[in-house]
Amino acid sequence: MLNELIDKRKKILTDSEQHKNKRNELNALASTFARERNQLNGQTREFVDEAQKNKDLRDQSNAEVQRLKDERNDLNEKANVLFEEIDAYKKEHGAINNARGIKELQKQIEKLEMDQQTRVMNTEKERELIEKIKQLKLQIKEQEEELEQNKEIHTKLQEAREFRRAASDLHAKVTEMAELAQKHHDLMVECYRKADKSREAADEGHRKFVEAQEAADAEHNQFIACQKELRDYDKVIGGLRKKGKKTKVNKEQKAVRKEAEEVFQQFRAGEKLTTDDILLLQRAKLI
């Protein structure tokens, strides 16, 4: 029975070591997954921060675009008022017959410039639009040159031109700021895309971490159970060994007692005792 218990204990000890080693491997793997997950979460935060910066810059650029548009529109409106007065003078005095007014031509230019700014078109279409704007500006220039000869409207024409020139400069700035806003918008979208990708990878890393950690905990519980069984076996085996040892001692004591009694009987019969005989009698407490 004792040998059977010892064999079982050896098997449990082997299982215990296997569970301990597997637990340590899984804990190391869980630590690796946690480290990778934390790195990915850090990247995600960086991408989100960068996206927010570009969002703020985009919004600032869009606000500047709106401010410039308002200022440009105000200048165009001032120019239109003067050109209306010039057109009224032209009609009253019959100047530049059968020609569209400068105001009407300018409005058409503004519409075409807005189309160029907001519509998506191929290179050929854009070239055609630019050429059309060029021709309309040429018509305005021709009318202005003719009207320039009249001293009564010379001042108004110069002032209207100045408003229109300033509006044109602002339009260029509007285009520039709109392109900058689009650039920051594209960067923002790209950063959010990267953030989503790294967040997804971090979530997967966290899933693997939890899975490895739970497996490590299961192996640890198995290890603890094996350790408890080993302690139980040690108690039983220790008890059996102690009992066996005590039984052996009792048997030895009985054998010594029996032998000593025989020597003692011989002594009483008159036989001489040797030194070993005397020691034997002492061990048996007969002398």
Side-chain angles (χ1 to χ4, degrees):
M1 181 180 177
L2 181 60
N3 290 335
E4 184 181 346
L5 290 172
I6 290 173
D7 289 340
K8 287 183 177 179
R9 185 187 183 282
K10 287 179 180 178
K11 183 180 181 306
I12 293 171
L13 180 61
T14 300
D15 291 344
S16 175
E17 287 299 311
Q18 289 177 346
H19 287 306
K20 182 177 74 172
N21 292 336
K22 188 64 177 176
R23 177 202 64 187
N24 293 342
E25 289 174 9
L26 287 166
N27 276 329
L29 187 61
S31 295
T32 298
F33 287 140
R35 185 165 54 253
E36 292 174 354
R37 175 203 61 193
N38 293 341
Q39 289 175 348
L40 287 166
N41 279 331
Q43 286 181 4
T44 300
R45 285 191 292 273
E46 289 176 3
F47 286 137
V48 170
D49 290 344
E50 190 65 22
Q52 185 60 47
K53 288 178 184 177
N54 280 289
K55 180 178 181 295
D56 292 341
L57 290 171
R58 180 203 64 183
D59 293 344
Q60 291 173 16
S61 296
N62 280 331
E64 184 65 7
V65 165
Q66 189 56 53
R67 187 190 69 79
L68 291 170
K69 279 184 177 180
D70 292 341
E71 190 174 344
R72 179 200 64 189
N73 293 341
D74 183 58
L75 290 169
N76 277 327
E77 183 59 31
K78 289 179 179 179
N80 288 337
V81 169
L82 291 172
F83 281 125
E84 282 178 359
E85 293 177 3
I86 292 170
D87 286 343
Y89 177 88
K90 180 184 67 176
K91 290 177 181 178
E92 183 181 348
H93 294 81
I96 316 178
N97 292 322
N98 300 321
R100 283 181 294 174
I102 294 175
K103 180 183 176 183
E104 183 182 347
L105 291 171
Q106 186 58 41
K107 283 185 176 180
Q108 190 172 359
I109 289 173
E110 290 173 13
K111 181 180 180 304
L112 293 174
E113 286 178 340
M114 183 60 68
D115 288 344
Q116 181 188 6
Q117 183 180 327
T118 58
R119 284 176 54 192
V120 178
M121 60 186 74
N122 57 37
T123 305
E124 185 178 350
K125 287 288 184 184
E126 188 170 9
R127 241 189 241 114
E128 290 177 2
L129 188 144
I130 292 172
E131 182 60 28
K132 193 168 184 180
I133 292 173
K134 182 179 177 182
Q135 292 299 322
L136 290 170
K137 286 183 175 180
L138 187 60
Q139 291 181 37
I140 291 176
K141 185 178 179 182
E142 289 174 352
Q143 290 194 35
E144 288 177 348
E145 286 176 352
E146 186 173 344
L147 291 168
E148 187 79 20
Q149 306 302 317
N150 191 308
K151 293 182 180 180
E152 293 184 29
I153 59 173
H154 175 76
T155 302
K156 287 184 178 181
L157 186 58
Q158 288 295 102
E159 191 177 352
R161 280 176 176 173
E162 187 59 37
F163 283 141
R164 192 70 77 200
R165 188 179 300 109
S168 180
D169 291 342
L170 285 175
H171 178 74
K173 290 181 180 179
V174 166
T175 301
E176 181 182 341
M177 292 306 297
E179 289 175 353
L180 184 60
Q182 185 62 45
K183 175 185 175 182
H184 286 300
H185 176 77
D186 293 342
L187 287 171
M188 177 197 73
V189 170
E190 179 63 16
C191 285
Y192 276 133
R193 186 191 68 78
K194 289 180 179 179
D196 289 340
K197 189 175 180 180
S198 62
R199 186 183 293 110
E200 186 177 312
D203 290 343
E204 177 63 16
H206 181 68
R207 184 191 67 77
K208 290 180 179 179
F209 160 74
V210 171
E211 189 178 90
Q213 192 64 63
E214 288 177 348
D217 291 343
E219 291 293 335
H220 179 70
N221 291 335
Q222 291 290 334
F223 169 73
I224 294 300
C226 286
Q227 289 293 304
K228 183 178 182 300
E229 280 194 75
L230 285 172
R231 288 193 296 272
D232 292 340
Y233 271 99
D234 286 342
K235 288 179 182 178
V236 175
I237 291 171
L240 289 174
R241 281 176 172 169
K242 186 176 181 181
K243 184 178 180 182
K245 186 176 180 181
K246 185 177 180 181
T247 300
K248 184 179 178 182
V249 169
N250 289 336
K251 286 180 179 179
E252 289 177 351
Q253 287 177 345
K254 285 180 180 179
V256 169
R257 180 78 180 182
K258 184 178 179 181
E259 186 181 355
E261 286 177 349
E262 291 175 356
V263 170
F264 187 70
Q265 290 300 326
Q266 291 173 3
F267 170 68
R268 290 180 68 180
E271 292 185 17
K272 291 183 179 182
L273 298 176
T274 66
T275 303
D276 289 339
D277 291 337
I278 294 172
L279 290 173
L280 180 63
L281 291 172
Q282 288 177 341
R283 284 178 61 193
K285 298 181 180 180
L286 292 177
I287 60 173

